[in-house]
Amino acid sequence: MHLTGNGHACQEQIRFFLVSGAADVSSHWNGYGKYDGIVSMNMRRTTIKDVAEAAGVGVATVSRVLSGGSASPATRERVLTVAAQLDYRPSALGRNLRQQRSGGIGLLLPDITDTFYGRLADGVLACARSAGEPVILGATGDDPEREAELIGMLLEQGVDRVIAIPSGDGETWAPTLRAGLTTVFAHRLAAGRDDVPAVLADDRAGVRTAVDYLTGLGHRRIAYLGGPGQEQRLSVFRQALGALVDEDLIVSARGSRDSAYAVAAGLLQRRPDLTAVLAGGNLLGEAAVLAARELDLRVPRDLSLIMFDDVPWAELCSPPLTVIAQPAQDIGYRAAELVLRAGPRRPRSVLLPTELMVRGSCAPRGISRSPR
Amino acid sequence: MHLTGNGHACQEQIRFFLVSGAADVSSHWNGYGKYDGIVSMNMRRTTIKDVAEAAGVGVATVSRVLSGGSASPATRERVLTVAAQLDYRPSALGRNLRQQRSGGIGLLLPDITDTFYGRLADGVLACARSAGEPVILGATGDDPEREAELIGMLLEQGVDRVIAIPSGDGETWAPTLRAGLTTVFAHRLAAGRDDVPAVLADDRAGVRTAVDYLTGLGHRRIAYLGGPGQEQRLSVFRQALGALVDEDLIVSARGSRDSAYAVAAGLLQRRPDLTAVLAGGNLLGEAAVLAARELDLRVPRDLSLIMFDDVPWAELCSPPLTVIAQPAQDIGYRAAELVLRAGPRRPRSVLLPTELMVRGSCAPRGISRSPR
DNA sequence: GAGATGCATGAAAACGTATCCACATCGGGT
DNA sequence: ACCCGATGTGGATACGTTTTCATGCATCTC
């Protein structure tokens, strides 16, 4: 009761100022923050109603002005001035409930610890920030179940836009689309969901370039060390390798570092005859380097190595790693653009170029590895 | 109109099933999703009211049951059953508006690309997930202005819990606390805001250990390569070094990789006489390694290097980097715990241990570096 | 047996916003 | 002079939930 009365008094005060001369208002009310200690604890949030009363207009008008609707220049200016003076910030809560959507954009990725996804997330954040949209982050751990859980959470939150590096298949994503979420996939697709727009690096060209480079150096027994959801790369790998393909040299790890290392070490141990490895991600590349070192294989003399994704430490490694650079940040940014600009018709998917960065981890096939 | 009528019909249907035999309901309505193609586009969200009507109780009762309030076992079971059948999910939008808070937890950090912050974020996500809370991520770029902007966004969203690696000073964070947000700082403090609980790595001990280790190896001219917000580390560094301190050897970079490299290269070039560097973060360590390589300084023969924060590539580097490991993930997790369990009284801050991991980037001071 | 006590329950209010609709005002055209 | 359309405006409503409050019923106590 007391509070409401107090608030009213303030608003009258402001109206007075506005009438007598708006120019002075700011100087008087700039120090609003100084009232901190006194009123902060139990101060009600400034609502659209307060602004309306202080400006002497209806709430509808305020809402229109602030949402870009039509209004006479005079009232528009008055409303804007008063809103600024009161330091009014529209409550996303009210708006969200009214329009049945929370506005934010959900971002679901396997592992925020992986610098690739980190850079991708950074791109999303950059675009979202320029659009003033909050980003809700979730880590799926490449587990469809956790992914489904997170999707449920997003739905419950009323999020209506989501960018995902999908782990699950079409089934997992059915509820999302059914609920009318605008979805954009990044970096990879979900099996059986080619109706969802996506932003992808040109894996096809990347793999082909890498394979051509390695075969050009004389390599014949080339392994692919893959991760989750790399079916497309695998098919291109097989295709590019043609007759040289050896299914025993194509292995897949789960998302974790441990799994990657285990698989890499197993591969190198099992097949001492292979001369080159294409690692399908920086975690896998890291695992390959560690495993090679553990087995006393020297890169690139004993083993040539190409890694997907250019990370800062690729240059620090010795030898510096030859990589296929992917525009992780761009992927995120473009995905955010797509999901924000989602118009009536479904936007076209985007394919971003990859680039082979030749450093020092590949060499012509020399003397065959000495058996251990 | 048509829709409402349709919805009512469905509810009647369900009530009938429930009366006649609940066991059959699931089998009949399991296939609910099959109606997708027909009704999905214009199907109203299932609300608490629907559940109430279908269960033949009031909305208040449903709310109580679902929020863990008291209710008779009979009604509780009936409500739960109906809710499950209707696949009812409470709308966070409505709840948020009602209780004037959005429930989620905001996470503000300088740069999600930095693996340290990535791991920290991962810890936060882990804890938040187990609590069922969404996380809203924002990247400040170590810029107080952007930070203030993001804080404003969080306030607008009604977020009432925030974890931050603060960039700004107490002034920046005044609005946050004024608005009644429960705030927890992680990894570092904001100047003049020691009233905010924090989760920190034991920098004090870390720096001291590192300095002792280096001086123990005979080093006398030791540089500190710092980043933003490392005032405390600097003071400890000076203190630990005692009479050996040389202000010219204490330099600070901004957050970016470029800045870090520039400062590192400048330092090494300007002072060829220094024999050891303590880098205050993995970006700075990376910069130091690159700069040293560029100047043809061999590590550790010409230059000993210790880096704050243990990252996977520290082992891949040659030589492997001696580091001060920080429990980044734990920091995030604990911070999330604190901010979630925020009771009436302010929780105590937490200090987590650091650990010196000796690898190969430090050596006893040998022959002084040859001048270039 | 009457009053007191406890519990389950539902109607209603509130949260802050956007939008629908009705009304008023004004200018220009017949 | 009258009407009509365009435009600006404000009251009222709805969004889905939680919480308060009053009511009814059953049980307990003296």
Side-chain angles (χ1 to χ4, degrees):
Chain A
M1 270 309 168
H2 172 63
L3 280 178
T4 314
N6 202 355
H8 259 301
C10 287
Q11 287 150 17
E12 293 303 326
Q13 186 90 341
I14 287 172
R15 191 184 321 202
F16 169 73
F17 274 133
L18 283 175
V19 172
S20 67
D24 284 55
V25 176
S26 70
S27 63
H28 277 90
W29 281 81
N30 244 350
Y32 199 65
K34 287 170 193 152
Y35 289 79
D36 272 12
I38 309 174
V39 275
S40 70
M41 289 291 83
N42 38 14
M43 192 171 58
R44 200 172 43 89
R45 201 193 157 99
T46 312
T47 77
I48 200 175
K49 204 175 167 188
D50 300 325
V51 178
E53 289 182 11
V57 299
V59 289
T61 303
V62 177
S63 174
R64 265 189 302 262
V65 168
L66 267 44
S67 311
S70 78
S72 79
T75 44
R76 147 162 280 119
E77 191 188 2
R78 204 165 72 236
V79 168
L80 288 180
T81 309
V82 172
Q85 297 311 335
L86 289 185
D87 189 32
Y88 167 68
R89 327 202 44 143
S91 154
L93 273 49
R95 176 181 18 198
N96 292 346
L97 176 57
R98 170 59 218 237
Q99 29 194 57
Q100 299 282 66
R101 48 188 224 97
S102 98
I105 109 175
L107 174 59
L108 262 39
L109 36 75
D111 176 14
I112 192 59
T113 281
D114 186 327
T115 63
F116 175 75
Y117 299 124
R119 282 177 296 147
L120 194 150
D122 196 51
V124 173
L125 287 180
C127 184
R129 192 173 76 95
S130 71
E133 299 274 7
V135 171
I136 297 181
L137 178 65
T140 66
D142 263 318
D143 175 7
E145 196 172 336
R146 255 170 77 178
E147 185 173 73
E149 216 173 277
L150 287 169
I151 291 173
M153 189 255 278
L154 291 180
L155 284 181
E156 192 169 318
Q157 294 296 321
V159 172
D160 64 341
R161 287 186 281 244
V162 55
I163 299 172
I165 289 97
S167 305
D169 55 1
E171 186 68 23
T172 310
W173 287 94
T176 313
L177 307 177
R178 193 189 323 160
L181 291 221
T182 59
T183 307
V184 170
F185 286 152
H187 182 56
R188 60 165 98 123
L189 296 166
R193 274 294 166 194
D194 34 6
D195 53 340
V196 173
V199 179
L200 305 171
D202 192 352
D203 282 349
R204 200 167 220 86
V207 170
R208 190 173 295 278
T209 307
V211 169
D212 287 353
Y213 178 65
L214 288 175
T215 54
L217 287 173
H219 294 280
R220 291 295 172 266
R221 282 185 291 276
I222 305 175
Y224 187 88
L225 183 54
Q230 304 195 341
E231 293 76 18
Q232 183 176 0
R233 283 192 194 163
L234 284 185
S235 79
V236 179
F237 181 74
R238 291 197 180 88
Q239 186 181 335
L241 220 45
L244 295 177
V245 69
D246 177 349
E247 286 297 332
D248 187 46
L249 292 181
I250 299 181
V251 295
S252 253
R254 266 169 282 111
S256 73
R257 279 203 159 76
D258 290 346
S259 163
Y261 179 78
V263 170
L267 173 70
L268 294 183
Q269 213 150 14
R270 177 158 44 87
R271 292 293 300 263
D273 59 319
L274 65 81
T275 65
V277 170
L278 176 53
N282 69 70
L283 252 62
L284 297 157
E286 184 188 314
V289 172
L290 282 175
R293 181 174 302 176
E294 201 63 31
L295 294 175
D296 259 335
L297 298 175
R298 266 165 302 182
V299 175
R301 217 197 58 175
D302 301 330
L303 184 70
S304 285
L305 182 60
I306 295 189
M307 175 174 84
F308 255 90
D309 191 30
D310 190 15
V311 293
W313 60 261
E315 274 189 287
L316 299 182
C317 217
S318 76
L321 256 47
T322 294
V323 301
I324 301 163
Q326 304 174 103
Q329 217 136 356
D330 279 353
I331 293 177
Y333 196 94
R334 299 292 294 270
E337 276 185 335
L338 278 197
V339 86
L340 284 176
R341 292 216 202 108
R345 54 183 187 71
R346 184 161 288 131
R348 201 54 207 109
S349 291
V350 177
L351 204 63
L352 297 175
T354 58
E355 189 183 356
L356 177 69
M357 317 260 319
V358 175
R359 299 206 178 97
S361 63
C362 295
R365 183 180 58 159
I367 322 107
S368 69
R369 280 165 56 187
S370 51
R372 272 154 291 121
Chain B
M1 270 311 170
H2 172 62
L3 280 178
T4 313
N6 202 356
H8 259 302
C10 287
Q11 287 152 19
E12 292 304 323
Q13 186 91 342
I14 287 171
R15 194 185 316 205
F16 169 73
F17 273 132
L18 283 174
V19 171
S20 68
D24 283 57
V25 176
S26 70
S27 63
H28 276 90
W29 282 82
N30 243 351
Y32 198 67
K34 286 171 193 150
Y35 288 79
D36 271 12
I38 310 173
V39 274
S40 72
M41 288 292 85
N42 38 15
M43 192 173 57
R44 200 171 43 88
R45 199 193 159 104
T46 312
T47 76
I48 201 177
K49 204 175 166 188
D50 300 326
V51 178
E53 288 183 11
V57 299
V59 288
T61 303
V62 177
S63 173
R64 265 190 301 260
V65 168
L66 265 47
S67 311
S70 75
S72 80
T75 45
R76 147 161 280 120
E77 192 188 0
R78 204 164 72 236
V79 167
L80 287 179
T81 308
V82 172
Q85 296 310 336
L86 289 184
D87 190 30
Y88 167 68
R89 327 201 45 142
S91 154
L93 274 49
R95 175 180 10 188
N96 291 345
L97 177 58
R98 169 60 218 236
Q99 29 195 58
Q100 298 281 67
R101 47 186 223 98
S102 97
I105 109 175
L107 175 59
L108 262 38
L109 37 76
D111 177 14
I112 192 60
T113 282
D114 186 328
T115 63
F116 175 76
Y117 299 124
R119 282 177 295 148
L120 194 150
D122 196 51
V124 172
L125 287 180
C127 184
R129 193 174 76 97
S130 72
E133 299 274 8
V135 171
I136 297 181
L137 178 65
T140 66
D142 262 318
D143 175 6
E145 197 172 336
R146 255 169 79 178
E147 185 173 71
E149 214 174 279
L150 287 168
I151 290 174
M153 188 254 277
L154 290 181
L155 284 181
E156 191 169 320
Q157 295 296 322
V159 171
D160 64 340
R161 286 186 282 244
V162 54
I163 298 172
I165 288 98
S167 305
D169 54 2
E171 187 67 22
T172 311
W173 288 93
T176 313
L177 307 177
R178 194 191 322 161
L181 292 222
T182 58
T183 308
V184 170
F185 286 151
H187 181 55
R188 60 165 99 123
L189 296 167
R193 274 294 165 196
D194 34 6
D195 53 340
V196 173
V199 179
L200 306 170
D202 193 352
D203 282 349
R204 200 169 219 85
V207 170
R208 190 174 296 276
T209 307
V211 169
D212 287 354
Y213 178 64
L214 288 175
T215 54
L217 288 174
H219 294 279
R220 291 296 171 264
R221 282 184 292 278
I222 305 175
Y224 187 88
L225 185 53
Q230 304 195 340
E231 294 75 18
Q232 183 177 0
R233 283 192 195 164
L234 283 185
S235 78
V236 179
F237 181 73
R238 291 197 180 89
Q239 187 181 334
L241 221 45
L244 294 177
V245 68
D246 177 347
E247 286 297 332
D248 186 46
L249 291 181
I250 299 180
V251 295
S252 252
R254 265 169 284 110
S256 73
R257 279 204 159 76
D258 291 346
S259 163
Y261 179 77
V263 169
L267 173 71
L268 294 183
Q269 213 149 15
R270 179 158 44 84
R271 295 292 301 264
D273 59 319
L274 65 81
T275 64
V277 169
L278 176 53
N282 69 68
L283 252 62
L284 297 157
E286 184 188 314
V289 172
L290 282 175
R293 181 175 303 176
E294 200 65 31
L295 295 175
D296 259 334
L297 299 176
R298 266 165 300 183
V299 175
R301 215 197 61 175
D302 301 330
L303 185 71
S304 285
L305 183 58
I306 294 189
M307 177 174 84
F308 254 90
D309 191 31
D310 190 16
V311 293
W313 58 261
E315 275 188 287
L316 299 182
C317 218
S318 75
L321 258 46
T322 294
V323 300
I324 302 163
Q326 304 173 101
Q329 218 137 352
D330 279 353
I331 293 178
Y333 196 94
R334 300 292 293 271
E337 276 185 336
L338 277 197
V339 86
L340 284 175
R341 291 216 202 108
R345 54 184 187 71
R346 186 160 286 134
R348 200 58 206 107
S349 291
V350 177
L351 205 63
L352 297 175
T354 58
E355 190 184 355
L356 178 69
M357 317 263 316
V358 175
R359 298 205 177 98
S361 65
C362 294
R365 183 180 59 160
I367 321 107
S368 70
R369 281 166 57 187
S370 53
R372 272 155 291 122

